[in-house]
Amino acid sequence: NAGVTQTPKFQVLKTGQSMTLQCAQDMNHEYMSWYRQDPGMGLRLIHYSVGAGITDQGEVPNGYNVSRSTTEDFPLRLLSAAPSQTSVYFCASISPGLEGGELFFGEGSRLTVL
Amino acid sequence: AQKITQTQPGMFVQEKEAVTLDCTYDTSDQSYGLFWYKQPSSGEMIFLIYQGSYDEQNATEGRYSLNFQKARKSANLVISASQLGDSAMYFCAMNNRGTYKYIFGTGTRLKVLA
């Protein structure tokens, strides 16, 4: 009954370092997405995917890369971290039905870039 | 363009009283979904309630109800009989049919007083 699993939960990086936030879901959801949450700004969509091999940009994609090689996994890559990328990151997948469906969220990953 | 507006950054309510959290939205689409999520201090995102644009009845889920006024483009969350455990950040979100780009408001932090 894992749902959406994100790793790591906490990470500290230095400016310019790279890292990958992992996201995996076991609900066979076609749609997966990454959001960042910043104080006073709510959640903003970074990238999303509607199925394996298909990705698209959201509202704030700059500085992030994604790929979707399997239905289960949707990693988010920071190629050269910047202090502006300090944030809490959420991965989410959708259950079918409704107008787009309810989002199932991971527990979040808190990233600090020094 | 879609937009969600939550004008109340913070709210206080006395335990056992009802509280309304405001949400207005903007979209040119006729078919869309409206959602409310709760984020307690532990950080996870919890789905509360959903309203479809074609639903004639207001959605209810236990102590949560969604006051949907389509003409005014508002989707306020009503929490009845507030409990201390309701203290959290609450986010309004929407999604247009056929797209997977959910947008979120900036949130309202609710504090329930004993």
Side-chain angles (χ1 to χ4, degrees):
Chain A
N1 217 23
V4 179
T5 303
Q6 288 181 236
T7 55
K9 289 186 169 46
F10 300 94
Q11 184 72 49
V12 178
L13 290 178
K14 294 181 180 178
T15 297
Q17 286 184 319
S18 63
M19 77 156 300
T20 299
L21 296 174
Q22 302 290 346
C23 177
Q25 54 93 7
D26 61 359
M27 297 173 283
N28 203 32
H29 288 170
E30 288 296 319
Y31 174 84
M32 297 182 74
S33 56
W34 277 102
Y35 289 84
R36 60 177 288 171
Q37 181 180 15
D38 302 293
M41 303 189 75
L43 279 77
R44 293 180 293 168
L45 181 63
I46 304 172
H47 285 286
Y48 66 99
S49 169
V50 298
I54 306 169
T55 64
D56 204 349
Q57 296 180 351
E59 181 185 357
V60 288
N62 292 341
Y64 307 96
N65 280 349
V66 292
S67 61
R68 183 94 180 271
S69 56
T70 67
T71 299
E72 294 77 21
D73 300 301
F74 190 45
L76 179 72
R77 297 183 185 86
L78 286 71
L79 297 179
S80 179
S84 60
Q85 294 178 303
T86 293
S87 187
V88 179
Y89 292 84
F90 285 96
C91 180
S93 68
I94 289 182
S95 81
L98 308 179
E99 269 92 4
E102 165 199 342
L103 282 171
F104 286 80
F105 284 89
E107 294 183 339
S109 298
R110 184 174 295 274
L111 174 66
T112 301
V113 183
L114 303 176
Chain B
Q2 300 175 71
K3 187 176 181 181
I4 292 279
T5 302
Q6 293 180 255
T7 58
Q8 306 154 313
M11 291 276 288
F12 291 95
V13 65
Q14 207 66 37
E15 193 178 11
K16 298 181 186 177
E17 292 186 349
V19 62
T20 297
L21 306 184
D22 294 341
C23 173
T24 59
Y25 61 92
D26 190 19
T27 180
S28 56
D29 290 332
Q30 298 301 310
S31 181
Y32 49 88
L34 296 155
F35 304 80
W36 278 91
Y37 287 84
K38 172 184 178 181
Q39 186 180 42
S41 58
S42 51
E44 71 270 30
M45 296 289 287
I46 302 168
F47 167 74
L48 294 178
I49 196 167
Y50 160 81
Q51 178 85 41
S53 58
Y54 292 120
D55 294 340
E56 295 184 352
Q57 302 252 353
N58 286 343
T60 59
E61 289 287 348
R63 294 186 299 109
Y64 304 109
S65 61
L66 199 153
N67 185 358
F68 181 46
Q69 298 187 42
K70 195 170 183 177
R72 298 181 60 187
K73 293 189 174 178
S74 73
N76 298 339
L77 178 70
V78 180
I79 305 175
S80 63
S82 296
Q83 301 172 357
L84 296 178
D86 294 332
S87 294
M89 182 74 87
Y90 289 81
F91 290 99
C92 181
M94 75 174 292
N95 165 265
N96 289 343
R97 180 184 281 277
T99 77
Y100 295 93
K101 292 186 177 183
Y102 290 73
I103 61 164
F104 285 78
T106 53
T108 296
R109 185 170 298 281
L110 177 67
K111 175 71 173 176
V112 180
L113 305 173

